Amino acid sequence: MKLTPEQHAQFQRDGYLFFPSLFTPDEVATLNAAVPALYARREAYNVREKGSDAVRTNFAAHLYSEPYAKLARHPRMVEPVQDLLGEELYMHQFKINGKMAFEGDVWQWHQDYGTWKNDDLMPTERAMNVAIFLDDVNEFNGPLMFIPGSHKKGVVDAQHDLSTTSYPLWTVDNALITQLVERAGGKQGGIVSPKGPAGSMILFHSCLVHASTSNLSPWNRVSVYLSLCAVSNHIRRFKRPEYIAHREFDAIPCLPDDCLLSNVAVDLPWRDGMPARALETSLDELSFAK
Ligand code: SIN
Ligand code: MN
């Protein structure tokens, strides 16, 4: 899937692109069917909400779940990102975020590249976030919010918030958010939130400032978040466990377009459990052969 010149221009200007209903209801059903069993696992890669058993985020399912291994190699997802970054890609991070009915907690205002730079020593912002809705997303179930154009600021100041939710995050303070929203149009478009049916996809720049509120509605808002990085821009430090920040930098090979509904074989290296090394971390900057 090649993007049009208008889509390229829109991405440069706003920092995101929205593709409503990109995946069909049958394709979404294969992905959704796997979620309860994945969330039921008592593993480090399932991070639960503060004070609750609801899963906030599940990491690395593409390494142990067949439909997600296919999604991670899906041409409708990979090719537009490759088109925008102009290079082959590897999977830096893979999450299935729960934002479950009544229990899903906030994601504070943040940029993802700030974390990848500070924690993982990713050299530049040449990486992309992809969100794929597994549930319909509406104004009530905690849709993702963006400040359009905020990616043009590059990496902004952030504080490491270890207490608001169960997941530590480098967050942007209210004064800077106020300024960025004003600059983006204030009440006229300074905050946007793409909403739509299950199967919709958003691509957003790794420096785009984003957040989501808690989910007080009776509707889950399960979404897959994939972070794809240009191969030459791979991380230089393994400070975070491998199930959060991946360490295999091979280019993603795409599968056929119908892979979610066909029997195409995929490799599942963690099918029988996560290897112990996935929990090992290091503060050293690693050297890699050029
Ligand atoms: C994220 O920013 O990683 C997640 C945001 C969300 O799930 O709303
Ligand atoms: Mn994020």
Side-chain angles (χ1 to χ4, degrees), residues 95 110 112 129 210:
K95 304 183 291 193
H110 69 284
D112 284 9
N129 271 319
H210 60 284

Side-chain angles (χ1 to χ4, degrees), residues 41 45 59-65 241-244 246 248 267-275 277-279:
R41 297 181 184 189
Y45 54 63
F59 286 99
H62 65 307
L63 299 179
Y64 48 84
S65 166
E242 188 179 352
Y243 65 86
I244 297 181
H246 296 301
E248 301 277 339
D267 192 24
L268 296 173
W270 294 5
R271 183 201 290 268
D272 298 321
M274 185 164 67
R277 60 142 219 279
L279 295 165

Side-chain angles (χ1 to χ4, degrees), residues 190-213:
I191 301 178
V192 297
S193 69
K195 297 173 280 286
S200 301
M201 176 174 90
I202 311 172
L203 302 185
F204 62 103
H205 193 284
S206 58
C207 287
L208 193 69
V209 178
H210 60 284
S212 61
T213 61

